[in-house]
Amino acid sequence: MGRGERDVVARGTRLFEAARAVVDDHGRAVEAVRAALKPIQDAAVKRELDAIPVVRLQDVTEGRLRVGSVEKGGLRTVGSVLEAGPYRLRQIPGVGQHTVDQMLAAARRLSEAVYETVGVHLDVDRPEPSTTALVVALHVLVEAGPDARRAVDRAVELSGRVGPLLDDARLVTGRLRMLLAGREKKARALAAVTALQSLVDETERAGLPELLAQASVDLLRGPSSDIAAWVDFELRSAEYYSLLAEISGRRPDVAAVEGFLPDEVAERVRVQPLDDTHRRVSLRGYQAFGARFALAQHRVILGDEMGLGKTIQAIAVLAHLAAEGASHFMIVCPASVLVNWTREIEARSALRVVPLHGPDRQYAFADWKERGGVAVTTFDSLRGFPVWDGGEVGLFVVDEAHSVKNPNAKRSQAVAGWAERCGRTLFMTGTPMENRVVEFRNLVRMLDGAVADSLGEGDAPAGSVAFRKAVAPVYLRRNQEDVLTELPSLQRTDEWEELSASDEEAYREAVRAGNFMAMRRAAYARPEKSAKLERLREIVQEAAVNGQKTVVFSNFRDVLGVVREALAAGTGGSTAVFGPLTGSVAAERRQRIVDDFAAEAGPAVLLAQIQAAGVGLNIQAASVVVICEPQIKPTIEHQAVARAHRMGQVRPVRVHRLLATGGVDERMVRMLEDKTRLFDAYARRSAVAESTPDAVDVSDTELARRIVEEEQARLGVVRKESAGHP
């Protein structure tokens, strides 16, 4: 046969080998995780079994097993029974072979149950050789990301198609074999060559060889150091724990993941495809189910508890619909989270983002209509845009949807108008709306009038099975404790806010004065129009609705005073506010304030100056932490967060750092992050760094001087001669 046929076989062989290499590389990476995980799991299981009294074996055997003789023999726990083994057990007076067999069988059943449920906690502040090995192994797969997973899936599929074609087509590579082959084999070989050429051409046009090659490189590349792996884990712990749960097989209860939906709804969701072509983030199992729920049911409320990644699920839905050909999407949200939405979509997907905000929003709206993409706007701005007719909008997303529960409000009417015209609508809220039936019904009515009518007219808490079944077609809620089998102990979120016009004016005055400290707190100088303060109130309110306590840190006493007044006015006294803890408060008094905060029966807020409360106090009653502005010294932030995130904390801690775009906050974050992240992560694990944080931070004065000069140049302002140095 000719050179052309042999060339096709050679190309097919290279493609097949590349596919098999990716599968093998991924398999080795997964096995490395399993190998690192096993000793940690074994040690955790042993600790659990060593704490279970031997009398529990009677429960397993429904009381048929007598353990008195074993206890007298010194074996008082299930772990000690398994460690003793049959020979030592048989030596105990009064224990026969039948009892030994029963006892060991019962102990093994308990051991298997513990093995299925025991959790693995990766303590970033106390790394050990075993946990470091696991984090390093996980880092390879996390860093390879969704593209590697996509490449492995394509490689498995491709191997199954290319392998059989190569088996038949290889006949053409030998002239003599081809001459001696029968007519049927020749025909099959030529048909295989034709099919193989078509398949290879198809994969090359789709860029699959490059995807496979990059995946192999990523799967073989390890972290630059153990410290780098731990730092990455600290930044992306949710992805590490998600992967760990998947590989270990320790998945949360299926019913909890599916929000305890009725079988007929859950089954429809399970079979819903989810395309990840335009997505740049991996999903946890419950997140994938949430995205499928929105796709399968078309018009829904996603009511997951705060911290479960509702934004990620919405982006997954957008990416899937874009892959199906949808070109225009609309997201409406509070102004305080508009920047976060924009950044998340840019970071987590390949979709175009168009903010519809500010004085040029009408021009941006016209551009979005013409070119498509994901439009992100605020409730107030939405009212100024005409509602499209037909199915032009592939998905209409409403974040913080509980804020449109009043049907008489103009913002609610604007949202209802868009929801009515859009075939697919996704409402998102972390507030458990099902406990406020009247308000909940108002939201549901925007999505499905028939379901709203089925909820009845009462306003009592509705936790009944009948209620859950009635709302199942439109409502999905999961709680952290139900779906996170290995809770990330610390979740950090940078809350980027766009300054209001009033904020900008105050900031410009501080820059003109060359006053670095005034620049840092300018976002709170005019409380009535403060974007940061509005976001802080939202975080505190949502935490309160979920029964959680919040600690608010700031470097500045006057900022804490502004926060106290704003919270007192915003909550109407329903949430207790303690503090502020400042440097002028005696140490004994500080601890009493913390104790009173912890003893408060309901939601509460503790205000604290970050340097005064950052050392020596335990604030583990708080599971939500707000940092009002970035700190010059990263160690101060770390130590303050550690007051809440420490031994004794039973809930994951969520840290919200409030940052303003375009000014001093952005410059501080950028300048400090690149230079100090790895070194600081190493240094703060040492006793020296904990006792002398000044030793590992960059110069305050130098940093302040550079930022002031850069901001004056950016804003084109001339420094006042009378202004003091920062």
Side-chain angles (χ1 to χ4, degrees), residues 227-238:
I227 297 169
W230 274 112
V231 170
D232 192 60
F233 167 78
E234 195 166 3
L235 294 172
R236 298 191 284 177
S237 61

mmCIF file with all atom_site columns, all heavy atoms in Angstrom, residues 227-238:
data_model
loop_
_atom_site.group_PDB
_atom_site.id
_atom_site.type_symbol
_atom_site.label_atom_id
_atom_site.label_alt_id
_atom_site.label_comp_id
_atom_site.label_asym_id
_atom_site.label_entity_id
_atom_site.label_seq_id
_atom_site.pdbx_PDB_ins_code
_atom_site.Cartn_x
_atom_site.Cartn_y
_atom_site.Cartn_z
_atom_site.occupancy
_atom_site.B_iso_or_equiv
_atom_site.pdbx_formal_charge
_atom_site.auth_seq_id
_atom_site.auth_comp_id
_atom_site.auth_asym_id
_atom_site.auth_atom_id
_atom_site.pdbx_PDB_model_num
ATOM 1  N N   . ILE A 1 227 ? 5.934   24.065 50.680 1.00 0.00 ? 227 ILE A N   1
ATOM 2  C CA  . ILE A 1 227 ? 5.294   25.300 51.140 1.00 0.00 ? 227 ILE A CA  1
ATOM 3  C C   . ILE A 1 227 ? 4.326   25.818 50.090 1.00 0.00 ? 227 ILE A C   1
ATOM 4  O O   . ILE A 1 227 ? 3.211   26.252 50.399 1.00 0.00 ? 227 ILE A O   1
ATOM 5  C CB  . ILE A 1 227 ? 6.358   26.367 51.468 1.00 0.00 ? 227 ILE A CB  1
ATOM 6  C CG1 . ILE A 1 227 ? 7.245   25.886 52.625 1.00 0.00 ? 227 ILE A CG1 1
ATOM 7  C CG2 . ILE A 1 227 ? 5.712   27.696 51.812 1.00 0.00 ? 227 ILE A CG2 1
ATOM 8  C CD1 . ILE A 1 227 ? 8.468   26.736 52.844 1.00 0.00 ? 227 ILE A CD1 1
ATOM 9  N N   . ALA A 1 228 ? 4.741   25.757 48.810 1.00 0.00 ? 228 ALA A N   1
ATOM 10 C CA  . ALA A 1 228 ? 3.867   26.219 47.732 1.00 0.00 ? 228 ALA A CA  1
ATOM 11 C C   . ALA A 1 228 ? 2.576   25.414 47.701 1.00 0.00 ? 228 ALA A C   1
ATOM 12 O O   . ALA A 1 228 ? 1.495   25.959 47.465 1.00 0.00 ? 228 ALA A O   1
ATOM 13 C CB  . ALA A 1 228 ? 4.596   26.121 46.391 1.00 0.00 ? 228 ALA A CB  1
ATOM 14 N N   . ALA A 1 229 ? 2.674   24.096 47.938 1.00 0.00 ? 229 ALA A N   1
ATOM 15 C CA  . ALA A 1 229 ? 1.475   23.260 47.949 1.00 0.00 ? 229 ALA A CA  1
ATOM 16 C C   . ALA A 1 229 ? 0.551   23.646 49.095 1.00 0.00 ? 229 ALA A C   1
ATOM 17 O O   . ALA A 1 229 ? -0.672  23.730 48.926 1.00 0.00 ? 229 ALA A O   1
ATOM 18 C CB  . ALA A 1 229 ? 1.871   21.783 48.057 1.00 0.00 ? 229 ALA A CB  1
ATOM 19 N N   . TRP A 1 230 ? 1.115   23.895 50.283 1.00 0.00 ? 230 TRP A N   1
ATOM 20 C CA  . TRP A 1 230 ? 0.290   24.293 51.430 1.00 0.00 ? 230 TRP A CA  1
ATOM 21 C C   . TRP A 1 230 ? -0.358  25.660 51.203 1.00 0.00 ? 230 TRP A C   1
ATOM 22 O O   . TRP A 1 230 ? -1.514  25.888 51.572 1.00 0.00 ? 230 TRP A O   1
ATOM 23 C CB  . TRP A 1 230 ? 1.138   24.319 52.706 1.00 0.00 ? 230 TRP A CB  1
ATOM 24 C CG  . TRP A 1 230 ? 1.252   22.997 53.400 1.00 0.00 ? 230 TRP A CG  1
ATOM 25 C CD1 . TRP A 1 230 ? 2.365   22.232 53.528 1.00 0.00 ? 230 TRP A CD1 1
ATOM 26 C CD2 . TRP A 1 230 ? 0.209   22.287 54.065 1.00 0.00 ? 230 TRP A CD2 1
ATOM 27 N NE1 . TRP A 1 230 ? 2.085   21.085 54.226 1.00 0.00 ? 230 TRP A NE1 1
ATOM 28 C CE2 . TRP A 1 230 ? 0.762   21.088 54.580 1.00 0.00 ? 230 TRP A CE2 1
ATOM 29 C CE3 . TRP A 1 230 ? -1.145  22.530 54.284 1.00 0.00 ? 230 TRP A CE3 1
ATOM 30 C CZ2 . TRP A 1 230 ? 0.018   20.145 55.288 1.00 0.00 ? 230 TRP A CZ2 1
ATOM 31 C CZ3 . TRP A 1 230 ? -1.898  21.593 54.991 1.00 0.00 ? 230 TRP A CZ3 1
ATOM 32 C CH2 . TRP A 1 230 ? -1.320  20.424 55.482 1.00 0.00 ? 230 TRP A CH2 1
ATOM 33 N N   . VAL A 1 231 ? 0.380   26.577 50.611 1.00 0.00 ? 231 VAL A N   1
ATOM 34 C CA  . VAL A 1 231 ? -0.191  27.895 50.326 1.00 0.00 ? 231 VAL A CA  1
ATOM 35 C C   . VAL A 1 231 ? -1.358  27.764 49.361 1.00 0.00 ? 231 VAL A C   1
ATOM 36 O O   . VAL A 1 231 ? -2.415  28.376 49.546 1.00 0.00 ? 231 VAL A O   1
ATOM 37 C CB  . VAL A 1 231 ? 0.891   28.839 49.749 1.00 0.00 ? 231 VAL A CB  1
ATOM 38 C CG1 . VAL A 1 231 ? 0.256   30.119 49.212 1.00 0.00 ? 231 VAL A CG1 1
ATOM 39 C CG2 . VAL A 1 231 ? 1.919   29.174 50.813 1.00 0.00 ? 231 VAL A CG2 1
ATOM 40 N N   . ASP A 1 232 ? -1.175  26.947 48.331 1.00 0.00 ? 232 ASP A N   1
ATOM 41 C CA  . ASP A 1 232 ? -2.261  26.749 47.370 1.00 0.00 ? 232 ASP A CA  1
ATOM 42 C C   . ASP A 1 232 ? -3.458  26.089 48.037 1.00 0.00 ? 232 ASP A C   1
ATOM 43 O O   . ASP A 1 232 ? -4.609  26.447 47.765 1.00 0.00 ? 232 ASP A O   1
ATOM 44 C CB  . ASP A 1 232 ? -1.768  25.895 46.198 1.00 0.00 ? 232 ASP A CB  1
ATOM 45 C CG  . ASP A 1 232 ? -2.749  25.890 45.045 1.00 0.00 ? 232 ASP A CG  1
ATOM 46 O OD1 . ASP A 1 232 ? -3.030  26.969 44.499 1.00 0.00 ? 232 ASP A OD1 1
ATOM 47 O OD2 . ASP A 1 232 ? -3.266  24.804 44.696 1.00 0.00 ? 232 ASP A OD2 1
ATOM 48 N N   . PHE A 1 233 ? -3.198  25.136 48.928 1.00 0.00 ? 233 PHE A N   1
ATOM 49 C CA  . PHE A 1 233 ? -4.292  24.497 49.670 1.00 0.00 ? 233 PHE A CA  1
ATOM 50 C C   . PHE A 1 233 ? -5.062  25.527 50.485 1.00 0.00 ? 233 PHE A C   1
ATOM 51 O O   . PHE A 1 233 ? -6.295  25.513 50.536 1.00 0.00 ? 233 PHE A O   1
ATOM 52 C CB  . PHE A 1 233 ? -3.740  23.409 50.589 1.00 0.00 ? 233 PHE A CB  1
ATOM 53 C CG  . PHE A 1 233 ? -4.743  22.913 51.604 1.00 0.00 ? 233 PHE A CG  1
ATOM 54 C CD1 . PHE A 1 233 ? -5.735  22.023 51.231 1.00 0.00 ? 233 PHE A CD1 1
ATOM 55 C CD2 . PHE A 1 233 ? -4.709  23.365 52.919 1.00 0.00 ? 233 PHE A CD2 1
ATOM 56 C CE1 . PHE A 1 233 ? -6.675  21.581 52.154 1.00 0.00 ? 233 PHE A CE1 1
ATOM 57 C CE2 . PHE A 1 233 ? -5.645  22.929 53.843 1.00 0.00 ? 233 PHE A CE2 1
ATOM 58 C CZ  . PHE A 1 233 ? -6.627  22.031 53.464 1.00 0.00 ? 233 PHE A CZ  1
ATOM 59 N N   . GLU A 1 234 ? -4.328  26.437 51.113 1.00 0.00 ? 234 GLU A N   1
ATOM 60 C CA  . GLU A 1 234 ? -4.980  27.452 51.942 1.00 0.00 ? 234 GLU A CA  1
ATOM 61 C C   . GLU A 1 234 ? -5.881  28.349 51.098 1.00 0.00 ? 234 GLU A C   1
ATOM 62 O O   . GLU A 1 234 ? -6.947  28.774 51.539 1.00 0.00 ? 234 GLU A O   1
ATOM 63 C CB  . GLU A 1 234 ? -3.917  28.281 52.654 1.00 0.00 ? 234 GLU A CB  1
ATOM 64 C CG  . GLU A 1 234 ? -4.451  29.110 53.804 1.00 0.00 ? 234 GLU A CG  1
ATOM 65 C CD  . GLU A 1 234 ? -3.334  29.652 54.680 1.00 0.00 ? 234 GLU A CD  1
ATOM 66 O OE1 . GLU A 1 234 ? -2.149  29.431 54.354 1.00 0.00 ? 234 GLU A OE1 1
ATOM 67 O OE2 . GLU A 1 234 ? -3.648  30.295 55.687 1.00 0.00 ? 234 GLU A OE2 1
ATOM 68 N N   . LEU A 1 235 ? -5.461  28.628 49.872 1.00 0.00 ? 235 LEU A N   1
ATOM 69 C CA  . LEU A 1 235 ? -6.238  29.498 48.998 1.00 0.00 ? 235 LEU A CA  1
ATOM 70 C C   . LEU A 1 235 ? -7.409  28.770 48.348 1.00 0.00 ? 235 LEU A C   1
ATOM 71 O O   . LEU A 1 235 ? -8.436  29.376 48.042 1.00 0.00 ? 235 LEU A O   1
ATOM 72 C CB  . LEU A 1 235 ? -5.327  30.073 47.902 1.00 0.00 ? 235 LEU A CB  1
ATOM 73 C CG  . LEU A 1 235 ? -4.217  31.018 48.369 1.00 0.00 ? 235 LEU A CG  1
ATOM 74 C CD1 . LEU A 1 235 ? -3.286  31.357 47.221 1.00 0.00 ? 235 LEU A CD1 1
ATOM 75 C CD2 . LEU A 1 235 ? -4.814  32.284 48.952 1.00 0.00 ? 235 LEU A CD2 1
ATOM 76 N N   . ARG A 1 236 ? -7.242  27.452 48.102 1.00 0.00 ? 236 ARG A N   1
ATOM 77 C CA  . ARG A 1 236 ? -8.277  26.706 47.366 1.00 0.00 ? 236 ARG A CA  1
ATOM 78 C C   . ARG A 1 236 ? -8.662  25.427 48.100 1.00 0.00 ? 236 ARG A C   1
ATOM 79 O O   . ARG A 1 236 ? -8.797  24.366 47.495 1.00 0.00 ? 236 ARG A O   1
ATOM 80 C CB  . ARG A 1 236 ? -7.768  26.362 45.962 1.00 0.00 ? 236 ARG A CB  1
ATOM 81 C CG  . ARG A 1 236 ? -7.454  27.546 45.095 1.00 0.00 ? 236 ARG A CG  1
ATOM 82 C CD  . ARG A 1 236 ? -7.221  27.121 43.657 1.00 0.00 ? 236 ARG A CD  1
ATOM 83 N NE  . ARG A 1 236 ? -5.922  26.512 43.453 1.00 0.00 ? 236 ARG A NE  1
ATOM 84 C CZ  . ARG A 1 236 ? -5.506  26.004 42.280 1.00 0.00 ? 236 ARG A CZ  1
ATOM 85 N NH1 . ARG A 1 236 ? -6.310  26.023 41.245 1.00 0.00 ? 236 ARG A NH1 1
ATOM 86 N NH2 . ARG A 1 236 ? -4.312  25.474 42.161 1.00 0.00 ? 236 ARG A NH2 1
ATOM 87 N N   . SER A 1 237 ? -8.858  25.527 49.400 1.00 0.00 ? 237 SER A N   1
ATOM 88 C CA  . SER A 1 237 ? -9.106  24.315 50.193 1.00 0.00 ? 237 SER A CA  1
ATOM 89 C C   . SER A 1 237 ? -10.349 23.570 49.730 1.00 0.00 ? 237 SER A C   1
ATOM 90 O O   . SER A 1 237 ? -10.398 22.343 49.784 1.00 0.00 ? 237 SER A O   1
ATOM 91 C CB  . SER A 1 237 ? -9.214  24.673 51.677 1.00 0.00 ? 237 SER A CB  1
ATOM 92 O OG  . SER A 1 237 ? -10.296 25.564 51.894 1.00 0.00 ? 237 SER A OG  1
ATOM 93 N N   . ALA A 1 238 ? -11.364 24.298 49.268 1.00 0.00 ? 238 ALA A N   1
ATOM 94 C CA  . ALA A 1 238 ? -12.593 23.626 48.837 1.00 0.00 ? 238 ALA A CA  1
ATOM 95 C C   . ALA A 1 238 ? -12.317 22.675 47.686 1.00 0.00 ? 238 ALA A C   1
ATOM 96 O O   . ALA A 1 238 ? -12.869 21.565 47.628 1.00 0.00 ? 238 ALA A O   1
ATOM 97 C CB  . ALA A 1 238 ? -13.643 24.662 48.423 1.00 0.00 ? 238 ALA A CB  1
#
